[in-house]
Amino acid sequence: MGPVRTDRGWEGQYSREKEIYFEITERWRNAPKPIIAEVQGSVIAGGNMLVWMCDIIVCADDARFRDNAVGEMGVPGVEYLAHPFELGVRKAKEWLFTADWLSARDAERCGMVNHVVPRADLSAFTLELATRIAKSDRFALKLAKETINNAEDAMGRRQAMRHSFAMHQIGHLQNMLLHGFPIDIERLPPSLRERLMAAQRSGKGGEREAPSGAATA
């Protein structure tokens, strides 16, 4: 979460989040060539957006996923909320409501990732998969990707995500009214909360700056 502009209401922050977190991620998702994610370790909140925009996801067995936007930040998920399409409706609700960790194996069972491999084999496995894909005709790959993406959008993905982005902005505004900050910092771990409060106290010119890495929602 970067600086919050208050000189023109919510207009500046809305425009910034829409372009940086929603539209850019969507353009990456629709890039005209296959994109493969190689994932290890912890993927939290906005990190899921970077993974989901990829066509194929290969995880190390130590990978784990979490969206703490509802549980700790008081907003209804991240800006690019693809949860129902990545996990299915029931699991998406549980994951958001609880802010629990999702293991790589559970993500694979939900269809969110393609493969889970030992950490030591991750790069070699991903490269071998990419090499096999690269042998296909480039234009055919482009058309196949566009066809599948369009099928998903025809199911309502794009429209649903536009609505969820609007709900995300309402969550930010609610927190600004209640806490003077776009997330509910009272729910955050104490050490992180103190950093955010210190940054808020030192804000200048109507801007409140969150420390780097404080939140990705």
Side-chain angles (χ1 to χ4, degrees):
M1 188 68 216
V4 176
R5 300 190 59 83
T6 58
D7 53 336
R8 296 186 63 186
W10 196 250
E11 180 183 0
Q13 188 69 10
Y14 170 89
S15 299
R16 177 182 181 274
E17 290 208 346
K18 189 171 189 294
E19 174 62 17
I20 293 176
Y21 299 127
F22 186 86
E23 297 294 353
I24 288 180
T25 308
E26 188 75 347
R27 290 198 291 272
W28 285 339
R29 182 238 186 199
N30 292 315
K33 63 174 62 176
I35 302 175
I36 302 175
E38 182 180 309
V39 182
Q40 61 188 43
S42 299
V43 182
I44 303 172
N48 295 298
M49 294 158 48
L50 297 177
V51 173
W52 288 338
M53 67 89 180
C54 298
D55 302 300
I56 294 175
I57 302 171
V58 182
C59 290
D61 50 12
D62 67 350
R64 58 180 188 163
F65 304 86
R66 186 175 186 237
D67 188 342
N68 60 338
V70 174
E72 292 184 352
M73 290 185 273
V75 290
V78 293
E79 295 86 352
Y80 192 83
L81 199 147
H83 302 55
F85 297 92
E86 296 290 345
L87 293 167
V89 171
R90 300 283 183 235
K91 194 64 179 179
K93 288 179 180 178
E94 179 186 351
W95 194 47
L96 274 172
F97 294 171
T98 63
D100 286 342
W101 288 100
L102 185 72
S103 71
R105 291 296 181 189
D106 284 340
E108 184 182 32
R109 281 190 283 271
C110 291
M112 193 181 92
V113 306
N114 297 80
H115 301 281
V116 178
V117 300
R119 173 73 171 267
D121 300 334
L122 178 62
S123 292
F125 182 96
T126 307
L127 180 60
E128 192 276 333
L129 177 60
T131 300
R132 283 195 286 131
I133 292 172
K135 293 177 180 178
S136 298
D137 179 79
R138 183 177 62 181
F139 188 53
L141 287 171
K142 176 183 183 299
L143 295 178
K145 175 174 177 174
E146 185 173 335
T147 297
I148 295 173
N149 281 3
N150 183 70
E152 190 178 27
D153 289 343
M155 298 174 193
R157 185 201 68 95
R158 176 77 175 179
Q159 181 179 358
M161 290 178 66
R162 285 183 179 277
H163 179 267
S164 65
F165 179 81
M167 296 300 99
H168 181 91
Q169 298 304 311
I170 291 175
H172 277 325
L173 290 171
Q174 171 76 349
N175 285 306
M176 286 296 293
L177 290 171
L178 294 178
H179 311 293
F181 206 81
I183 61 174
D184 182 1
I185 61 176
E186 296 301 320
R187 297 177 181 272
L188 295 173
S191 60
L192 181 54
R193 183 168 65 247
E194 288 301 318
R195 290 175 59 203
L196 288 169
M197 291 176 67
Q200 186 182 44
R201 288 191 296 269
S202 63
K204 298 179 181 179
E207 293 188 355
R208 296 177 173 87
E209 179 78 38
S212 176
T216 50

